[in-house]
Amino acid sequence: MELSNKSEYALLALLELADRYTSGESLQIRQMAVLQDIPNRYLEQLLATLRRRGLIKSIRGAKGGYVLARDPRTITLLDAVSCMEGLDAVAPGVDKNNTHIETQLIQEVWDEACQAANAVLQKYTLQDLCDRRAMHGNKELMYYI
C-alpha cells in the first residue's frame, strides 16, 4: 500500500486550508503551490476534484481563492483519499468467482489490511494533522541549555 502523489498533494493543500479555517482566509492556487511545492497545473486539477466533491469551496474576486467547505475536525483523511482515488481504492476488492482456496485466503488477508488502513484514515482528521504539525514545529523551536 502506498499513498499516491495525488492524495499526498491533496492532503497538503487541505492542510494549508485547514490552518486558515478559523480566520476565514482564502488561499490562491499559486500560494498553496509555493507553500507546499506542488506544481500549479497539477494543483488546479486536484482542487477542482476537491471542490466537486464538496471538501473545499472557491471564492471569486480579487481576494478570492479556496477555503474548506466544512470544519477541519469533520474532514477525515479517508474523506480526502477516497475523494482523490475513488471508492474503489479504499474499499477492498473481492473476486467472488475465484475458486482457488489460496487466492481466496490471500484476498481475505488483503481485505483485512485494507479495512485496517481505512480505519486509521477514518480515525484522523485534518485538524489532527494541523495539531501534529504544530506539535512538531514546537519541538524544533525548543532550545536546550
Side-chain angles (χ1 to χ4, degrees):
M1 289 183 215
E2 189 173 318
L3 185 65
S4 71
N5 281 342
K6 180 170 37 171
S7 289
E8 181 180 358
Y9 287 162
L11 286 168
L12 290 172
L14 288 170
L15 187 57
E16 289 300 329
L17 296 175
D19 273 346
R20 290 153 181 82
Y21 180 77
T22 53
S23 70
E25 177 188 351
S26 64
L27 268 180
Q28 295 178 347
I29 291 173
R30 66 178 177 270
Q31 292 171 302
M32 276 186 269
V34 168
L35 288 168
Q36 291 298 334
D37 195 26
I38 303 170
N40 273 2
R41 301 290 286 160
Y42 193 45
L43 185 56
E44 283 179 37
Q45 295 169 13
L46 300 178
L47 294 176
T49 300
L50 292 168
R51 187 180 50 76
R52 280 192 305 273
R53 300 283 173 91
L55 291 182
I56 64 174
K57 296 187 291 190
S58 60
I59 299 172
R60 295 180 176 265
K63 301 257 185 194
Y66 290 90
V67 294
L68 287 181
R70 8 185 258 257
D71 191 306
R73 288 178 282 249
T74 67
I75 300 174
T76 67
L77 301 188
L78 184 61
D79 292 337
V81 171
S82 62
C83 174
M84 298 313 300
E85 305 295 338
L87 294 177
D88 294 340
V90 294
V94 178
D95 183 4
K96 303 285 187 194
N97 299 327
N98 198 316
T99 57
H100 293 38
I101 188 70
E102 294 85 0
T103 303
Q104 290 176 356
L105 293 173
I106 292 167
Q107 186 65 49
E108 287 174 12
V109 172
W110 186 254
D111 291 349
E112 188 176 338
C114 289
Q115 290 170 2
N118 289 346
V120 171
L121 292 173
Q122 183 65 41
K123 177 181 169 184
Y124 291 100
T125 66
L126 291 178
Q127 187 62 52
D128 294 328
L129 285 184
C130 289
D131 295 344
R132 282 183 174 213
R133 181 166 71 174
M135 195 167 42
H136 285 279
N138 289 340
K139 286 180 185 177
E140 291 176 10
L141 294 176
M142 292 183 76
Y143 297 100
Y144 296 97
I145 300 175

